Amino acid sequence: MIAAHLPALQVVIPLLAAPLCAILRRGTIAWVIAVVANWLAFAVSIGLLFRVLDEGVISYAMGGWAPPIGIEYRVDLINVFVLLVVSGVGAVIIPFARAGTAARFDSTNQAWFYTMYLLALTGLLGVTITGDAFNIFVFLEVSSLASYVMIAMGRDKRSLTAAYQYLIMGTVGATFIVIGVGLLWAMTGTLNLYDLAQRIPDIENTRPVLAALAFLTVGISLKLALFPLHLWLPNAYAYAPAVASAFLAGTATKVGIYLLLRFFFTVFGGEGFFLSTPLPEVFLVLSVVAIFAASTVAVFQNNLKRMFAYSSVAQIGFITLGISYATETGLTAALVHLMNHAIMKAGIFMLLGCVIYRLASMRIDDLAGIGRKMPFTTAGIVILGLGLLGVPGTSGFISKWWLVLAALENGQWWLVALIVIASLITMVYVGRFVEAAYFREPSEKAMNVREAPLAMLIPSYVLVAATIYLGFDTTWSVGLALDAAASLLSAAY
Amino acid sequence: MTTILADLNYWVTVFLLVGGLYIVVAHGNMIKKLVGLSIFQTSVYLLFLSPGKVLGGTAPIIAEGFDVYSNPLPHVLILTAIVVGVATIALGLALVVRIHRSYGTIEEDELHDLESDA
């Protein structure tokens, strides 16, 4: 009985929990509600995974209105993969949120923070699960508006301008997406993604459809911070509260990647059409530039959160590089890195949150000598940093391995060289942190700090452990990604 | 001339779209940027509503003597989009109020100078 309604529950549980937090106005109760709702959402994602593996694509008619007239929730392997990443990363972050949030906000504002968190979660899960193009826009704006508020709650007043900047760019991106959806609707008369996929191949070379593809690509690229549309990201991640940075870095851009995959390979009729457009070349060039430009800028940052925010832009470049191949290996690399990067970057921002909790600073000079005072926090950041680098034994190596395989499959030896050089640049900025943390005398600020509380360390270490585990056992991470990539290319939606 | 008039609604749409986006990019005042954003979003409402209108059609209510109806779907969609737009502008203005309180200005270039000093 419940199994039949899992697709609806995936979105409804956090959606109902959010106003509950707002009404109760008590920080602790709101946190408990958020934890329960997020864990339930994760359980629902796991349930959906088993159902999809068991019976294939699930179609759920929202409210009993049959698609294509009603809104359809449609779950296949790619969906459920992203749902797992989003709800899973959230499920680890939310227990971590308690200590830092309680130290900074009064009880009412804590409740508001959890309300916004749950709304952002609702929106991201909704975008991923829905099979209706307009519904995507609505959920995208639900999650974006909630994220703007979370970012504006940062301790630095620059978080306000960062949130404003993100609001302007995010809204422009969302509006581009609606324009694209509107053009598709005018041409086909449907908003259902499955229906669109059936009707577009007949008219795919008409001008409105190509214009729709262009608008959708630019709009979604803004949301996922593809270079050069990433300008909102560094400040937003740097000045947001640690919980919000970790959550957004782990989930929001990843859902953007999912949308890109869904529109390119399902709605616009498979890789044939994608390869016939200039998009593969455009994405190849932009990804490589993103990797190099953002990594280089990251090296020169003195604010650690900003450094790892730029690193996110670079890592997104690795994911879109995989997409640009439009081969099974390339898409597998993209999906594997989507998950691995979500885990690693969420973990890094959580551990940086531990540092802020004790030190109240992110300047690299204030962090000098922190390795002696906060050994577990520092070691965690270093392990995850090695993951970003792609050192064997971490999940980052697996992603890079698949990316290299995809490049070799296309005979692009020079790209392999570029990937290795990019990893070396990553080593420089991770190295800057290591140098400051371990090889310098403790700064005045770092003199008197203690290790972070266990309530913050344990959730962070879950992600550190996952990074190492996924570096050795890839049966289900790569296995699932391979199946998802295959179903994406066979248009089995 | 006649082709321009035939597609007048689309010309208006494109004019608002480009004009709105230009204001967002070109203006440094945070309130004016939001005004531009609002115009930009409004153009999309027209883009959706125009193709839904069937010439000579009426509201989709079954009645004696009417058999041509306009498509009601865009109205439903755009009502939702208007709500989203209102929420976005409201949040944007709230942020501008907070920025003004913290920095004492809402001009982007002045904010930029203040932030680089900090």
Side-chain angles (χ1 to χ4, degrees):
Chain A
M1 173 58 203
I2 285 197
H5 292 292
L6 282 181
L9 287 173
Q10 180 77 87
V11 175
V12 168
I13 291 172
L15 182 64
L16 289 182
L20 208 59
C21 288
I23 294 168
L24 290 172
R25 295 280 182 104
R26 288 288 165 79
T28 316
I29 303 174
W31 174 68
V32 173
I33 294 172
V35 170
V36 172
N38 203 151
W39 284 1
L40 278 177
F42 187 43
V44 170
S45 302
I46 295 174
L48 280 172
L49 172 68
F50 283 115
R51 270 193 66 190
V52 170
L53 289 176
D54 214 36
E55 55 194 274
V57 179
I58 305 170
S59 166
Y60 180 85
M62 202 59 173
W65 296 88
I69 303 291
I71 289 173
E72 180 189 21
Y73 278 14
R74 206 174 169 87
V75 191
D76 65 353
L77 272 172
I78 308 116
N79 270 4
V80 86
F81 186 84
V82 179
L83 287 175
L84 272 175
V85 171
V86 171
S87 59
V89 167
V92 180
I93 291 175
I94 193 73
F96 164 91
R98 176 75 189 134
T101 329
R104 276 206 46 219
F105 301 122
D106 63 24
S107 191
T108 317
N109 276 346
Q110 284 175 47
W112 284 121
F113 184 80
Y114 294 121
T115 309
M116 290 305 147
Y117 173 87
L118 285 170
L119 282 177
L121 182 71
T122 308
L124 294 172
L125 293 173
V127 171
T128 315
I129 202 169
T130 188
D132 182 280
F134 200 80
N135 211 216
I136 288 179
F137 159 71
V138 174
F139 275 125
L140 205 58
E141 282 309 83
V142 169
S143 77
S144 300
L145 286 168
S147 324
Y148 307 148
V149 177
M150 280 203 287
I151 291 166
M153 289 175 92
R155 70 174 68 208
D156 194 310
K157 67 179 177 180
R158 275 173 287 188
S159 65
L160 294 171
T161 40
Y164 179 86
Q165 200 71 35
Y166 186 16
L167 180 134
I168 296 285
M169 293 191 74
T171 308
V172 170
T175 310
F176 268 55
I177 294 174
V178 201
I179 294 172
V181 169
L183 290 171
L184 287 183
W185 172 73
M187 287 304 284
T188 61
T190 180
L191 288 166
N192 185 290
L193 294 183
Y194 179 77
D195 261 18
L196 282 171
Q198 309 297 314
R199 294 183 195 181
I200 286 178
D202 297 334
I203 49 166
E204 66 187 11
N205 279 319
T206 55
R207 204 172 287 172
V209 170
L210 290 174
L213 177 64
F215 274 113
L216 283 166
T217 308
V218 174
I220 297 170
S221 300
L222 252 167
K223 288 282 182 187
L224 66 84
L226 177 70
F227 186 91
L229 303 170
H230 68 283
L231 293 172
W232 57 268
L233 187 143
N235 280 347
Y237 284 11
Y239 302 121
V243 180
S245 309
F247 182 67
L248 294 178
T251 58
T253 46
K254 308 303 178 284
V255 169
I257 303 272
Y258 158 76
L259 280 182
L260 214 53
L261 290 171
R262 180 59 89 208
F263 275 104
F264 282 173
F265 297 106
T266 305
V267 174
F268 284 93
E271 77 272 26
F273 179 58
F274 177 69
L275 290 172
S276 74
T277 62
L279 282 172
E281 288 82 13
V282 171
F283 269 80
L284 179 71
V285 172
L286 289 182
S287 305
V288 172
V289 177
I291 292 167
F292 278 90
S295 301
T296 313
V297 176
V299 171
F300 296 101
Q301 295 302 314
N302 285 320
N303 178 321
L304 266 186
K305 270 179 101 179
R306 225 156 175 264
M307 177 190 280
F308 284 109
Y310 273 108
S311 142
S312 269
V313 178
Q315 299 291 326
I316 288 163
F318 281 115
I319 301 178
T320 48
L321 185 62
I323 296 177
S324 76
Y325 293 126
T327 60
E328 202 173 315
T329 326
L331 293 183
T332 306
L335 285 168
V336 170
H337 197 47
L338 185 156
M339 178 160 87
N340 291 342
H341 179 246
I343 292 171
M344 289 189 288
K345 204 38 81 59
I348 287 186
F349 277 114
M350 282 161 79
L351 288 163
L352 290 178
C354 295
V355 175
I356 298 181
Y357 183 74
R358 288 295 188 213
L359 203 69
S361 169
M362 265 292 106
R363 281 167 44 81
I364 202 156
D365 292 332
D366 291 339
L367 261 70
I370 198 97
R372 281 174 239 173
K373 302 286 179 182
M374 303 177 77
F376 290 106
T377 308
T378 319
I381 298 177
V382 173
I383 295 172
L384 292 171
L386 292 176
L388 288 181
L389 219 99
V391 171
T394 61
S395 62
F397 175 70
I398 308 293
S399 332
K400 295 253 168 81
W401 174 256
W402 278 90
L403 210 54
V404 167
L405 280 185
L408 289 181
E409 214 177 70
N410 274 28
Q412 291 165 317
W413 289 92
W414 53 276
L415 253 177
V416 180
L418 287 182
I419 292 171
V420 173
I421 298 171
S423 301
L424 292 178
I425 307 181
T426 315
M427 196 161 86
V428 176
Y429 62 74
V430 175
R432 273 193 73 198
F433 171 73
V434 172
E435 190 265 334
Y438 287 109
F439 300 114
R440 283 198 224 162
E441 286 303 309
S443 69
E444 264 175 54
K445 279 198 169 178
M447 241 5 194
N448 304 314
V449 296
R450 293 176 287 129
E451 184 54 86
L454 279 181
M456 298 177 89
L457 269 184
I458 292 172
S460 315
Y461 262 81
V462 171
L463 294 182
V464 175
T467 300
I468 296 174
Y469 176 76
L470 292 173
F472 287 102
D473 182 7
T474 59
T475 38
W476 81 265
S477 64
V478 176
L480 207 56
L482 263 172
D483 290 345
S487 83
L488 204 51
L489 289 177
S490 66
Y493 180 50
Chain B
M1 191 61 199
T2 45
T3 49
I4 291 180
L5 280 179
D7 291 332
L8 187 63
N9 42 353
Y10 291 109
W11 285 106
V12 174
T13 303
V14 170
F15 176 74
L16 289 175
L17 196 146
V18 177
L21 198 56
Y22 174 77
I23 296 173
V24 173
V25 176
H27 272 274
N29 182 300
M30 289 183 147
I31 302 263
K32 286 182 183 166
K33 266 179 140 58
L34 284 174
V35 172
L37 198 66
S38 191
I39 295 172
F40 178 53
Q41 285 182 309
T42 309
S43 74
V44 182
Y45 307 160
L46 279 177
L47 181 75
F48 269 79
L49 291 174
S50 297
K53 172 68 185 167
V54 178
L55 285 180
T58 65
I61 303 165
I62 297 173
E64 201 80 13
F66 298 103
D67 45 9
V68 181
Y69 304 112
S70 286
N71 189 342
L73 182 69
H75 300 85
V76 182
L77 298 179
I78 291 315
L79 271 178
T80 315
I82 289 172
V83 174
V84 172
V86 168
T88 311
I89 298 300
L91 179 59
L93 289 173
L95 282 173
V96 173
V97 170
R98 289 280 306 277
I99 289 171
H100 188 255
R101 251 184 235 159
S102 304
Y103 289 91
T105 176
I106 52 167
E107 296 292 334
E108 278 201 326
D109 43 353
E110 292 175 23
L111 275 170
H112 189 78
D113 295 342
L114 285 172
E115 287 193 347
S116 49
D117 292 344

